[in-house]
Amino acid sequence: MKKLATLFQDSYRELRKVGTVTTMAMFAAIGIVLGSLTIQIGDFIKIGFSTIANQFVYYLFGPAVGCFYGGALDILKYAVKPTGAFFPGWTFNAMAAGVLYGLFFYKKKLSLVRVLAAEFTVCVLCNMILGTLWLDMMYGKGFFVLLPMRVIKNLAMWPVNSFLFYTMTFALERTGVFRLIHSFR
């Protein structure tokens, strides 16, 4: 439990650095651009890759920063390009995903197994369970009616998102980009 508290404290200290905030803003801009390339399939399924830019923030700065960043970015993306009605559940999902990814990645050696586990956890808790609950609350379509197509979509995207994040992070680590980002903070 003490390790978890220390992890959150270290991450919170990151948020107080100007370099962290500017790096978050850079990745937020990349995330917004990638978010505009989202593919909408029907009313309830979206496929997008903006989470990869967000995962870099969670990897670099941890769960406390991830929570703040996820919530702020969700609201900012809605302000820039609203898709449907604003619902605070989606902001909560973004914050929860930031915390979960931060717990899996921050100050830990990155491995494909760790990335798969993090992505699976977020897929199940945030996307499949909570996301389906929010859709049910917003549109009244029925949780168990929406769940099967959301499970299929998330299970199909789980290895794709995991592989993309892992290979991109590995490449950025190898080229020294993340070391450079850390040196500016």
Side-chain angles (χ1 to χ4, degrees):
M1 196 60 160
K2 188 176 181 181
K3 283 178 104 175
L4 187 64
T6 303
L7 195 68
F8 273 92
Q9 288 172 344
D10 291 348
S11 178
Y12 176 73
R13 280 190 214 104
E14 297 271 6
L15 188 57
R16 298 168 57 188
K17 299 176 185 172
V18 173
T20 299
V21 175
T22 56
T23 303
M24 288 168 43
M26 178 189 68
F27 281 117
I30 293 168
I32 289 171
V33 169
L34 288 174
S36 69
L37 304 174
T38 299
I39 300 165
Q40 182 84 27
I41 302 171
D43 292 333
F44 305 108
I45 302 287
K46 291 185 205 175
I47 296 176
F49 299 100
S50 65
T51 56
I52 292 170
N54 302 345
Q55 287 173 323
F56 291 143
V57 171
Y58 312 143
Y59 172 69
L60 291 169
F61 306 120
V65 172
C67 183
F68 173 77
Y69 174 84
L73 185 61
D74 182 72
I75 292 168
L76 180 64
K77 285 196 307 192
Y78 181 78
V80 169
K81 185 182 177 203
T83 54
F86 179 79
F87 184 72
W90 298 115
T91 305
F92 176 79
N93 265 26
M95 294 169 76
V99 170
L100 290 170
Y101 282 126
L103 289 173
F104 272 94
F105 298 150
Y106 186 56
K107 293 188 173 185
K108 303 216 170 60
K109 181 155 177 53
L110 197 68
S111 69
L112 185 57
V113 171
R114 181 178 300 281
V115 173
L116 285 165
E119 190 70 38
F120 185 75
T121 303
V122 170
C123 278
V124 170
L125 295 177
C126 295
N127 300 349
M128 292 181 205
I129 296 172
L130 289 176
T132 306
L133 178 63
W134 307 145
L135 288 171
D136 177 37
M137 290 171 69
M138 289 175 70
Y139 301 112
K141 294 291 183 186
F143 184 89
F144 291 105
V145 171
L146 297 170
L147 188 61
M149 68 179 153
R150 294 188 52 80
V151 167
I152 291 168
K153 178 256 181 180
N154 278 282
L155 288 179
M157 292 304 294
W158 167 49
V160 173
N161 289 339
S162 299
F163 182 73
L164 282 173
F165 174 71
Y166 177 75
T167 55
M168 291 177 74
T169 305
F170 184 76
L172 292 172
E173 282 285 358
R174 296 284 301 239
T175 58
V177 170
F178 289 147
R179 245 176 295 130
L180 186 64
I181 289 171
H182 278 295
S183 72
F184 286 124
R185 296 179 299 115

